[in-house]
Amino acid sequence: MRRRALLDGGIAAVALGGAGLLSGSLTAAFGREDLPPAAAPGTAAPTPPSVAPQSGGPAVAVPAAQVPVGGSATVKDPASGDAVYIVQPSAGKYTALSSVCTHSGCAVNPPKDGRLYCPCHGSTFDAATGAVINGPAVKPLPHYTVTKNGEQLELGPQQQA
């Protein structure tokens, strides 16, 4: 009788542990949104980017008019599917930053007041450079190249640190 109770308890513990692991895996896999919530005041609303074939692969483009000075537009990285913020911190200067926090992989909020905020653990990043303002993150947000082609802003590849 005692051996049977021990066996049943062990099976229950393994089942609970497995359920916890599955829950954590699902949260990690589906916890990040494809695109962030509605745009903050002073930012452009997310719009579907155009994808045009290019010699190096598909290009993601957004009209430059949709990225106001101090604001941003949201596009998707064609390689990972993660959101990327194209920002115009000053007139005529464009940069693109990953929305994936370097601390734990959470999606950071769209730029607001020159900063990107991670709701998971409170890291704050500079919206012009991606540099860490407040931790716990210690690495800046990854950058992408942005090229202005006529009235379109084209997202290039992610830059290696």
Side-chain angles (χ1 to χ4, degrees):
M1 180 75 164
R2 188 172 181 189
R3 190 179 307 182
R4 179 71 181 166
L6 184 60
L7 183 61
D8 288 346
I11 290 171
V14 169
L16 285 174
L21 288 174
L22 178 61
S23 173
S25 295
L26 291 174
T27 300
F30 298 107
R32 272 195 263 149
E33 297 282 330
D34 282 347
L35 291 176
T43 63
T47 58
S50 63
V51 178
Q54 196 177 41
S55 60
V60 176
V62 64
Q66 290 186 0
V67 185
V69 175
S72 69
T74 305
V75 296
K76 281 188 181 185
D77 177 339
S80 68
D82 290 326
V84 174
Y85 300 119
I86 297 178
V87 270
Q88 184 179 190
S90 58
K93 182 180 181 211
Y94 299 94
T95 189
L97 301 168
S98 171
S99 68
V100 181
C101 181
T102 56
H103 172 246
S104 64
C106 294
V108 297
N109 292 336
K112 181 178 179 185
D113 300 325
R115 298 176 181 216
L116 296 112
Y117 174 76
C118 180
C120 292
H121 299 107
S123 293
T124 307
F125 302 89
D126 184 282
T129 65
V132 176
I133 296 171
N134 293 321
V138 294
K139 292 175 19 181
L141 293 173
H143 283 83
Y144 293 77
T145 58
V146 177
T147 306
K148 188 169 184 188
N149 187 2
E151 293 302 312
Q152 296 287 317
L153 299 174
E154 294 179 353
L155 181 70
Q158 186 177 23
Q159 300 298 294
Q160 300 303 317

